[in-house]
Amino acid sequence: MLPEIVTFWHGPMDALRQTCLRSQLAAGHRVTVYSFDTIPGLPAGIANADAEAILPHAFSERLRPPQPDGSWRDWTTLQFSDFFRMKLMAKNLGLWLDADVLLLKPVEIDPAKPYFAWERPRQLGNSVIYLPPGHGIVAAFEELMEQEELTPNWLSLRHRVTFMMRRLRGGSNRLADIRVAIYGPAALTALARRTGELGCALPKQSFYAVHAEPKLFFDPSSYLGLVTNPEIIGLHISPKGRGGEKPIPGSLYAWATERFV
């Protein structure tokens, strides 16, 4: 099955994300970006839908208080999107891809089975994820969202100790302040272990061959091995602040911008 691709975006969209969205469209998928506001520069052919209908904007304040001007603080967007993708799964709205996933070929899924990949040796990535509605991982997030404190029962011992020590020292009572990805890959990994589905994960190469190594994408390199590798379905870029840079000739980014216009 060729699923619809869904994602969430908040704020201005840089050229890298525009290129990645075009690649997802070029692979034959319908692509919908959910947002609270209009997104200037959204590529032609990409649908834009109201995020409020999926997860209200007010939920962000349960994660972290906004800035004095009402804007979201540094980690809020990332953590909000961790919950947002699970709400999309609960509503059976499609396959989640982060907006910085460059898709090299179509993604085929079995709608009855989870779809995700290893990001690191012992951690799943949630930049590419599909879960059937009613799946145990989705249910765990929905149960968590009923809590006021948003403290999951799947926290690792390390994170439990960190949270406890911070509270004892008079620090934040919000788990969201402990770590930016506390509801992201670590949560997915813990819950997939609980449901016995770590074995379902695709290998790291499938989507995370350049993950956390932006030089492999932005700097000149011998990239043909990546774009011709049959095991690589797409590339999660994780630009580390480089998404607004102009493509450098000879880089994988330059190749992508020429291919996905």
Side-chain angles (χ1 to χ4, degrees):
M1 171 189 169
L2 197 68
E4 177 174 349
I5 290 173
V6 290
T7 197
F8 170 78
W9 191 255
H10 187 71
M13 179 173 283
D14 57 36
L16 168 67
R17 271 74 177 197
Q18 293 172 1
T19 297
C20 289
L21 290 174
R22 291 190 189 101
S23 76
Q24 297 169 17
L25 196 65
H29 293 270
R30 173 179 167 81
V31 182
T32 298
V33 179
Y34 289 82
S35 65
F36 291 111
D37 302 301
T38 302
I39 305 173
L42 192 67
I46 305 294
N48 189 201
D50 182 17
E52 189 74 20
I54 306 299
L55 184 60
H57 188 282
F59 181 79
S60 65
E61 297 183 17
R62 295 176 58 193
L63 293 167
R64 315 187 86 216
Q67 301 278 24
D69 64 358
S71 62
W72 285 0
R73 294 169 61 196
D74 45 10
W75 293 357
T76 305
T77 301
L78 291 173
Q79 293 179 342
F80 186 90
S81 75
D82 288 332
F83 285 92
F84 195 90
R85 69 196 71 192
M86 290 299 173
K87 293 296 288 186
L88 290 170
M89 298 301 107
K91 294 176 181 292
N92 198 27
L93 289 174
L95 164 74
W96 171 281
L97 262 63
D98 278 5
D100 58 357
V101 172
L102 186 78
L103 206 54
L104 301 178
K105 60 189 69 171
V107 180
E108 297 278 353
I109 67 167
D110 180 340
K113 297 180 180 179
Y115 188 91
F116 40 65
W118 291 105
E119 175 185 274
R120 297 175 182 172
R122 293 189 297 274
Q123 181 169 283
L124 299 174
N126 72 338
S127 299
V128 177
I129 184 171
Y130 167 80
L131 296 166
H135 188 277
I137 296 175
V138 177
F141 264 85
E142 292 203 292
E143 181 179 335
L144 174 63
M145 293 174 74
E146 295 297 319
Q147 296 181 21
E148 187 60 35
E149 292 186 349
L150 298 176
T151 303
N153 59 18
W154 62 76
L155 272 184
S156 67
L157 177 61
R158 175 168 60 92
H159 289 143
R160 288 179 186 276
V161 170
T162 300
F163 189 37
M164 180 183 68
M165 293 302 294
R166 181 170 293 196
R167 295 179 75 170
L168 288 173
R169 292 169 182 162
S172 173
N173 287 326
R174 289 184 303 274
L175 183 68
D177 288 333
I178 297 296
R179 184 178 174 216
V180 60
I182 198 74
Y183 301 113
L188 176 61
T189 305
L191 289 170
R193 182 179 293 111
R194 178 185 291 180
T195 60
E197 291 171 311
L198 289 177
C200 297
L202 296 172
K204 180 179 185 290
Q205 279 288 99
S206 57
F207 287 102
Y208 298 101
V210 301
H211 176 73
E213 296 184 75
K215 288 184 178 181
L216 295 178
F217 184 76
F218 290 99
D219 295 350
S221 64
S222 301
Y223 57 79
L224 285 179
L226 292 171
V227 299
T228 60
N229 187 332
E231 295 182 0
I232 295 178
I233 303 168
L235 298 167
H236 179 234
I237 309 304
S238 189
K240 310 298 183 188
R242 300 184 64 176
E245 294 183 7
K246 291 185 177 180
I248 301 173
S251 67
L252 179 51
Y253 187 18
W255 174 88
T257 55
E258 292 176 5
R259 182 177 180 87
F260 304 112
V261 180

